[in-house]
Amino acid sequence: MHRARMYEKEREFIRCFLCPRRCQLLEGQEGGCGVRVVTGGELYTINYGLCSAIHLDPIEKKPLYHFNPGSQILSLGTYGCNLFCSFCQNWNLARGKPEAGAARFSPDDVLEMLERQGGPTQVPGVAFTYNEPTIWYEFVCDTTRLLKEHGYCNVLVTNGYINHGALHDLLPYIDALNIDVKGFTNSFYQKYCSGMIKPVMETVETSVAKSHVEITCLLIPTLNDSPDEIERLACWLAGLSLDIPLHFSRYFPHYNLDLPPTPPQTLLQAREIALKHLRYVYLGNIDLPGSADTHCPYCANLLIARSRYHVSIPGLDGSLCRSCRNRISLVLPGG
């Protein structure tokens, strides 16, 4: 076990301040995330460096389409989550318990793995993904600081359910985030995620000012896919930046929610609505020609073509559109 951060003692209780759940715990109790426990009157994290999954992934799988397009990234995940989504796509990790046989790494081990891949020019950095990375907070903080010192980038694929103080301390070491906005009503978050929407919105608003941010929204039929909700989500993001890439992802029945898969027409309609407000809107979990391509918002020139995870970049000179010479909002390798 590893001593946790972001907690205080309150009489006989320990109060965790990592996420908005603010769990109040007695000796021997664990937080809602399943990986923070009180022992000897202090709070410990039981998943420090414990990897449930490790892969070399295309950056587009995160999904990040405007951050180092066409590159690969070392992807690490652990166990636990601080939301309880009935439709969870990675429930075996989110609700799983650390396994005795799982691999445990130090930040130095992660650096060594990257160095063996050939350094930042070959694999630019690490993505903390698969489960919720913010409940791996201590390991993520230590690792991102070390990697940053050695010229690597750091990515979070996150639900955004983290308190401001913890996010504030971590963001200086994070280069890009894909933040999963589950829906755009508090009632949806309460009923289907056992959470609240406001902290997620605050995470997005804070992160956009500090790092590269892309948004994913899993569209679930009849629950969060109404045209009005899509419009309000897109308008809110556009108020932060017209250049925030928005990914609508297709739902399939999973875990504790059994609804029909999202109709393709629903995804296409959502994209059409969002494109009235945002420059870059993509569709995921579905093979619809052109729905993952990036076009110039000024002249419609094809900039980046994507087929599954195969990427070609026919329309860019650096970050400039090859046709109209306008600058495109994206981060290029080494940039």
Side-chain angles (χ1 to χ4, degrees):
M1 294 194 296
H2 189 92
R3 179 72 72 86
R5 303 174 194 173
M6 300 293 165
Y7 74 94
E8 291 180 1
K9 296 181 180 180
E10 296 180 357
R11 300 183 302 279
E12 71 273 27
F13 298 102
I14 292 289
R15 175 79 69 178
C16 180
F17 290 104
L18 178 57
C19 88
R21 307 195 81 83
R22 297 179 180 266
C23 293
Q24 182 177 273
L25 306 171
L26 291 169
E27 181 70 22
Q29 289 185 326
E30 66 180 30
C33 61
V35 294
R36 298 168 81 78
V37 63
V38 177
T39 300
E42 304 291 347
L43 188 64
Y44 288 85
T45 173
I46 62 176
N47 65 342
Y48 186 93
L50 191 68
C51 287
S52 62
I54 177 168
H55 300 284
L56 198 60
D57 283 337
I59 192 75
E60 286 76 16
K61 193 175 181 180
K62 299 305 100 187
L64 287 171
Y65 281 10
H66 287 236
F67 184 81
N68 294 342
S71 68
Q72 291 191 309
I73 194 160
L74 182 65
S75 299
L76 305 177
T78 185
Y79 296 90
C81 187
N82 54 1
L83 289 179
F84 295 82
C85 300
S86 58
F87 48 88
C88 183
Q89 305 294 293
N90 284 316
W91 63 269
N92 56 325
L93 299 182
R95 301 274 67 90
K97 288 294 183 182
E99 299 175 3
R104 197 177 290 273
F105 297 100
S106 70
D108 285 325
D109 292 331
V110 177
L111 175 61
E112 185 180 344
M113 281 188 276
L114 286 168
E115 298 284 84
R116 287 202 304 267
Q117 295 294 330
T121 60
Q122 299 301 310
V123 177
V126 163
F128 297 92
T129 180
Y130 303 131
N131 73 311
E132 174 47 44
T134 60
I135 57 97
W136 213 10
Y137 185 76
E138 292 75 15
F139 181 70
V140 170
C141 283
D142 293 346
T143 304
T144 55
R145 288 173 183 172
L146 177 65
L147 297 185
K148 200 75 169 169
E149 292 172 2
H150 288 80
Y152 291 96
C153 67
N154 298 299
V155 169
L156 294 183
V157 182
T158 175
N159 61 27
Y161 212 60
I162 184 172
N163 279 332
H164 178 77
L167 180 66
H168 178 270
D169 290 351
L170 180 57
L171 269 182
Y173 307 98
I174 303 302
D175 299 276
L177 303 91
N178 185 292
I179 303 174
D180 191 359
V181 178
K182 309 288 184 179
F184 209 57
T185 64
N186 198 55
S187 59
F188 178 89
Y189 266 87
Q190 289 177 328
K191 184 172 182 179
Y192 296 101
C193 307
S194 297
M196 303 175 291
I197 190 174
K198 184 179 178 182
V200 180
M201 294 177 68
E202 291 173 347
T203 293
V204 172
E205 291 163 358
T206 300
S207 300
V208 164
K210 303 289 184 180
S211 305
H212 175 81
V213 171
E214 304 192 21
I215 303 296
T216 293
C217 181
L218 182 73
L219 290 186
I220 305 174
T222 73
L223 300 187
N224 67 351
D225 65 342
S226 72
D228 175 67
E229 190 167 338
I230 299 302
E231 185 108 40
R232 288 188 292 106
L233 170 62
C235 286
W236 168 62
L237 292 174
L240 303 177
S241 171
L242 299 176
D243 291 320
I244 296 175
L246 173 59
H247 304 258
F248 289 121
S249 191
R250 191 184 191 194
Y251 158 86
F252 289 94
H254 209 57
Y255 196 38
N256 292 325
L257 190 64
D258 188 16
L259 290 172
T262 316
Q265 186 57 39
T266 299
L267 291 157
L268 290 168
Q269 182 186 36
R271 187 183 188 214
E272 182 179 347
I273 292 170
L275 279 172
K276 295 176 183 177
H277 307 281
L278 295 165
R279 289 174 174 156
Y280 309 103
V281 183
Y282 303 102
L283 303 181
N285 267 4
I286 192 168
D287 189 12
L288 291 174
S291 63
D293 293 343
T294 301
H295 290 266
C296 177
Y298 306 101
C299 72
N301 178 40
L302 176 62
L303 303 174
I304 305 174
R306 302 179 181 88
S307 177
R308 296 188 183 273
Y309 299 122
H310 176 75
V311 177
S312 61
I313 308 178
L316 285 171
D317 284 330
S319 60
L320 299 181
C321 171
R322 188 165 289 164
S323 176
C324 68
R325 309 308 292 176
N326 275 294
R327 188 169 299 279
I328 306 301
S329 177
L330 77 169
V331 178
L332 296 173

